Amino acid sequence: MLEVYLDPCTVNSRKTLAGLDLLGTKYHYNFVNYFTGEHKSPDYTKINPCATVPAAVDDDLVLTESNAILQYAADLSGESAAYPKDLKKRALVNRWLLWEASVWFPSCYVYLVEYVVKPLLNTKPDEETIQGEAHRWHRLAGILDAQLAKTKWLTGETVTIADIAVASPMHLHGAQKLPLEEHPNLKRWLLDEVENLPCWKKTQSAVDKALLPKTAANGHTEKSVQATLNFTKDLGNKLTELYFYKTNDAKGIHELRNDAHEIAVTDGWDKVDSFSVDNEGFSHHNFETSYDQWEDEEATKAEFYPEVVDFLRDRTPMMLVHCDYTAESGPVRVRQLLPEEAEDLLSRRVAFINVCKPVHRMAEERHLAMFDSTATKPDDFFKLHLRYRDRNGENYVMKHRNGQKWYYFPKMTPDEAILLNTYDSETDGRARFVSHSAFEYATSPKDAPMRESIEIWTIAFF
């Protein structure tokens, strides 16, 4: 396995981590603290005599340049559109890798040092230095802007490691005060494309925390939005019911969504890799699919459902805080669907896992809020009785309590998915019922297209 040595806050270290994630390369991460000078220590300079980060080691091979690490990693990973085998396509990627290292990184680095590093050291930026670099930076940015007027990504319609490399020197473009407004195609590429890549989102937190400590101290690194979630009051002995047909029995029932609260929903990207269906009750994953016939129900079942099954081996959003099953309704559903096999299956662990993913386009409104199950208390949930003509069912609804923790993943793309553990038969302390709800918030774009997504309910037998 590739051993990588780096400090994730530096430009080239962040480039390496994001690129490896884009490529899908397996690696072992070794932290080298750049700010304490660990990269100059005798132990590290034995690995990298240049005393720079990153470095990568694969048996007797040592690489000390970030772009070379990504090129090698791409070949280790096999066929990858991020570093194509076709010689002409690869040459285009190599062109931008060399351009970034030779001219783009040094120019962007001036802005990084003056507007980010110097304030960290309680030193004022040198505006003359910035002015002296401005002409060159705009000339280079113009080259990028002209290219990105013709293509979505730097080398065409597919993201490559060249995009990661060229974006990395701008990874704090706001704090760097880079004048992106004068280069609209460059700005579009960076803000709308690169910054919405999962590999980029995952690696931003370490950069912000190390280089923007005042922002972190003010609570903006762990970003959150205020949203109204619809909880339900627990009236004790009175049942909470929902009828799916007209009947006099529905008159005077205890209805849902009668306890709205404004709460903070935290952006989960900064800790995306730490969530798990067993702990918090939800997790985020890349889920690429070429299937796009979402309006065809039969085709979706025939062609997309098998992809969901394979994905779980190696879910119009509801504006109500709920969980889809209860401790009793989970086993009942197994018996309804698989009556002949149910008792044998229920003798082992059973989990109901919802797979939720955007379709057609990025999700920009009605995001999904998920309750962190590590903060669950026994009386948080109570039953919602579902009345159908032919059967009855149960969900859990949730009452509001101070101290509850909620997460969401803004701007998810169709190549990503969330797993929700809505029922688990195990009682060993893992998450068993994750509450969730769609929500709207005041700062969401007013012209955002309506969210389109699909939610597949699955049952996993262990």
Side-chain angles (χ1 to χ4, degrees):
M1 183 180 293
L2 192 68
E3 295 282 341
V4 295
Y5 300 81
L6 49 76
D7 185 328
C9 76
T10 73
V11 170
N12 290 320
S13 295
R14 193 269 177 85
K15 177 204 300 183
T16 300
L17 287 178
L20 292 173
D21 190 77
L22 178 69
L23 292 164
T25 305
K26 294 182 178 179
Y27 63 90
H28 179 255
Y29 164 51
N30 302 272
F31 176 63
V32 179
N33 194 321
Y34 183 81
F35 283 97
T36 63
E38 190 178 353
H39 59 299
K40 299 178 181 179
S41 68
D43 287 342
Y44 182 70
T45 53
K46 289 178 183 178
I47 298 169
N48 183 0
C50 301
T52 57
V53 286
V57 177
D58 190 11
D59 294 329
D60 59 345
L61 174 68
V62 179
L63 296 172
T64 60
E65 300 297 328
S66 56
N67 290 341
I69 293 170
L70 295 184
Q71 290 169 305
Y72 178 69
D75 288 331
L76 275 182
S77 302
E79 190 72 30
S80 174
Y83 194 51
K85 297 289 188 182
D86 179 271
L87 291 180
K88 290 184 177 180
K89 292 179 179 179
R90 178 167 284 202
L92 289 176
V93 176
N94 290 339
R95 167 208 172 186
W96 289 111
L97 294 177
L98 292 167
W99 183 86
E100 179 269 335
S102 60
V103 296
W104 185 236
F105 172 85
S107 186
C108 291
Y109 196 64
V110 172
Y111 289 82
L112 184 67
V113 169
E114 295 300 327
Y115 287 135
V116 179
V117 177
K118 282 189 174 181
L120 282 174
L121 302 175
N122 296 316
T123 303
K124 291 183 178 181
D126 185 343
E127 294 297 336
E128 288 188 9
T129 299
I130 292 294
Q131 291 172 12
E133 185 60 33
H135 177 73
R136 183 168 78 131
W137 188 89
H138 279 291
R139 179 173 58 82
L140 296 171
I143 294 172
L144 288 172
D145 195 71
Q147 175 62 39
L148 292 164
K150 298 181 288 186
T151 54
K152 179 179 180 180
W153 301 96
L154 278 175
T155 65
E157 298 307 301
T158 302
V159 60
T160 70
I161 58 174
D163 296 282
I164 299 299
V166 173
S168 291
M170 298 185 286
H171 68 171
L172 287 173
H173 57 84
Q176 289 173 264
K177 300 183 180 180
L178 295 177
L180 295 177
E181 295 295 337
E182 299 181 39
H183 306 278
N185 300 305
L186 174 58
K187 181 181 178 182
R188 182 272 307 166
W189 166 79
L190 182 60
L191 274 62
D192 296 345
E193 306 297 348
V194 175
E195 291 189 345
N196 284 307
L197 290 170
C199 66
W200 195 264
K201 294 175 182 176
K202 289 182 187 178
T203 51
Q204 189 65 45
S205 175
V207 177
D208 291 345
K209 288 178 180 177
L211 300 178
L212 303 178
K214 290 183 179 179
T215 300
N218 290 333
H220 298 302
T221 297
E222 188 176 57
K223 299 175 287 291
S224 64
V225 296
Q226 292 299 119
T228 299
L229 294 190
N230 294 308
F231 296 84
T232 304
K233 291 182 179 179
D234 183 4
L235 298 188
N237 294 330
K238 187 170 184 177
L239 295 180
T240 302
E241 302 174 273
L242 178 62
Y243 282 82
F244 290 89
Y245 62 98
K246 290 184 178 180
T247 173
N248 289 332
D249 292 338
K251 293 180 180 179
I253 64 171
H254 175 212
E255 298 190 7
L256 302 168
R257 297 182 247 205
N258 60 357
D259 192 26
H261 286 265
E262 185 172 289
I263 63 155
V265 186
T266 299
D267 186 331
W269 284 114
D270 287 351
K271 50 192 298 187
V272 61
D273 290 330
S274 70
F275 297 119
S276 76
V277 292
D278 287 337
N279 199 34
E280 292 81 11
F282 61 88
S283 58
H284 170 278
H285 303 266
N286 291 340
F287 188 171
E288 297 184 21
T289 177
S290 59
Y291 182 79
D292 61 359
Q293 305 301 312
W294 302 110
E295 288 76 22
D296 188 331
E297 183 175 352
E298 292 306 314
T300 299
K301 290 179 180 178
E303 298 177 36
F304 180 66
Y305 280 22
E307 290 190 40
V308 174
V309 174
D310 290 339
F311 172 66
L312 286 173
R313 283 189 182 137
D314 282 356
R315 273 167 74 55
T316 305
M318 184 183 244
M319 306 283 282
L320 171 70
V321 177
H322 70 288
C323 180
D324 299 315
Y325 292 94
T326 69
E328 290 74 28
S329 67
V332 168
R333 194 63 178 144
V334 174
R335 293 186 176 98
Q336 290 171 339
L337 295 172
L338 300 165
E340 296 181 2
E341 307 166 72
E343 297 312 313
D344 176 55
L345 293 170
L346 290 170
S347 69
R348 305 186 297 274
R349 182 188 170 201
V350 179
F352 287 46
I353 301 174
N354 296 10
V355 182
C356 316
K357 72 190 306 292
V359 299
H360 299 314
R361 65 178 70 88
M362 180 195 302
E364 297 184 71
E365 58 97 52
R366 294 204 176 195
H367 294 295
L368 184 66
M370 296 152 290
F371 177 62
D372 183 345
S373 293
T374 60
T376 299
K377 291 192 175 182
D379 61 347
D380 281 343
F381 298 104
F382 59 98
K383 289 182 179 181
L384 166 63
H385 297 266
L386 306 174
R387 310 301 191 191
Y388 302 93
R389 289 188 182 276
D390 58 340
R391 64 183 177 88
N392 292 329
E394 295 177 351
N395 283 181
Y396 277 137
V397 285
M398 194 173 194
K399 58 186 178 184
H400 176 262
R401 172 178 54 78
N402 292 332
Q404 293 172 338
K405 183 70 174 177
W406 294 84
Y407 286 95
Y408 80 122
F409 296 108
K411 296 186 176 181
M412 277 184 57
T413 69
D415 292 338
E416 302 168 84
I418 290 172
L419 303 186
L420 300 176
N421 194 353
T422 59
Y423 168 79
D424 201 307
S425 63
E426 285 286 356
T427 57
D428 57 0
R430 73 182 69 208
R432 300 187 65 206
F433 312 99
V434 63
S435 281
H436 52 285
S437 175
F439 70 95
E440 296 174 333
Y441 58 97
T443 57
S444 60
K446 290 183 170 52
D447 58 348
M450 183 179 294
R451 174 192 178 101
E452 293 185 77
S453 60
I454 187 168
E455 183 173 9
I456 309 297
W457 293 16
T458 75
I459 309 177
F461 300 101
F462 297 83

